[in-house]
Amino acid sequence: MSELAQSVAALRFLSEIGADEAVNDDPTDWTAVGARARRPTPPPAAPVQQPARAPARPAGNLDGAPLGTAESAQMARAAAGAAKTLDELKAALAAFEGCALKHTATNLVFADGNPQARVMLVGEAPGEQEDRQGLPFVGPAGMLLDRMLACVGLDRKAEDPAKAVYITNMLPWRPPGNRSPTDGEIAACLPFMERHIELMKPDLLVFLGGISAKSLLARPEGITRLRGRWFEYKAPGMAAAVPAMPMLHPAYLLRNPVAKREAWKDWLALSERLG
Ligand code: URA
């Protein structure tokens, strides 16, 4: 195999296992690090006076919420609750340190579309294209979503609130390699999502895929049982509930085109409800 072919194969392997983000500017030669670690330990040096240490923080869990899920969610609730506008909420998310995904993502992906729209769509998490552009649903799944919206007369770019949609995701940062979000990441960011809905005040909600449907409706069923049904969604700070329909995720439809039949029924039901 030529050197080029070997490099391409190595890159493909890394991409397939999800190692597709550079986390340091300079590469680390882990084989040399391993060799250093195996060297015999030198005799102990004379004791050195240690500076006073900061009080120990609670150990972070390994679930994507660096402070521990409960602590992260508490911080998120305080920060999100203080936001009085969507712009303030975006700034609060950008400053939030309770979700480790922020440090592997390229961009914060907050929302796209018309904030005056009657319909708010909530997806799962940004993918590669979304992470690069800082906008939700701009990759292949987003293109299919735009086509489905157009079929029922909706458009994320429309100025008329009756024809527009507003689009966001449960997580504002891309999980590395597009892996599924962990429960800890969802729990840490949930207060921001709840506040997002409170501030946006949609007439109707659409949950795209099982992650947003199950997290926001707190239901145990999978998306194939939830899709196409109307539920009532009420965030803690909302005076009244909003009708919400879970639908199949466009990325799922790309992998399972026969399921587009079901998706079409759901979009028609939404269109009917919008009158
Ligand atoms: N899938 C999602 O759930 N959201 C995006 O923004 C892109 C793909």
Side-chain angles (χ1 to χ4, degrees), residues 109 122-131 135-142 145 156 167-171 178 208-209 211-212 249-251:
V109 178
V122 184
E124 181 178 317
E128 188 185 353
Q129 292 295 323
E130 290 77 15
D131 183 48
L135 289 170
F137 284 100
V138 288
L145 176 63
R156 70 169 94 187
I167 310 176
T168 188
N169 280 310
M170 286 304 294
L171 290 183
N178 292 352
L208 294 169
I211 297 270
S212 57
H249 194 287

Side-chain angles (χ1 to χ4, degrees), residues 248-259:
L248 297 172
H249 194 287
Y252 174 82
L253 297 176
L254 287 176
R255 294 190 302 270
N256 301 278
V258 288

Side-chain angles (χ1 to χ4, degrees), residues 60-103:
N61 63 12
L62 296 177
D63 203 14
L67 304 177
T69 303
E71 197 179 350
S72 291
Q74 201 180 341
M75 270 173 40
R77 213 166 294 120
K84 300 283 175 267
T85 63
L86 291 172
D87 284 343
E88 283 180 21
L89 188 69
K90 183 175 179 182
L93 252 179
F96 181 55
E97 289 297 337
C99 180
L101 293 177
K102 175 181 182 176
H103 300 290

Side-chain angles (χ1 to χ4, degrees), residues 17-179:
I17 62 169
D20 60 354
E21 293 293 336
V23 288
N24 279 326
D25 288 340
D26 301 312
T28 301
D29 180 353
W30 291 104
T31 53
V33 171
R36 272 205 300 281
R38 284 193 294 276
R39 272 187 217 140
T41 327
V48 176
Q49 188 70 35
Q50 292 293 327
R53 296 181 66 177
R57 267 211 336 214
N61 63 12
L62 296 177
D63 203 14
L67 304 177
T69 303
E71 197 179 350
S72 291
Q74 201 180 341
M75 270 173 40
R77 213 166 294 120
K84 300 283 175 267
T85 63
L86 291 172
D87 284 343
E88 283 180 21
L89 188 69
K90 183 175 179 182
L93 252 179
F96 181 55
E97 289 297 337
C99 180
L101 293 177
K102 175 181 182 176
H103 300 290
T104 47
T106 307
N107 280 304
L108 171 79
V109 178
F110 184 68
D112 194 19
N114 184 341
Q116 310 301 323
R118 293 185 62 201
V119 182
M120 178 174 188
L121 312 179
V122 184
E124 181 178 317
E128 188 185 353
Q129 292 295 323
E130 290 77 15
D131 183 48
R132 274 188 217 288
Q133 298 185 39
L135 289 170
F137 284 100
V138 288
M143 287 180 206
L144 175 59
L145 176 63
D146 285 340
R147 287 203 300 275
M148 294 190 294
L149 288 169
C151 286
V152 289
L154 296 172
D155 181 350
R156 70 169 94 187
K157 294 201 169 70
E159 282 179 18
D160 176 357
K163 297 201 171 98
V165 293
Y166 180 81
I167 310 176
T168 188
N169 280 310
M170 286 304 294
L171 290 183
W173 295 289
R174 179 196 183 202
N178 292 352
R179 65 159 169 74

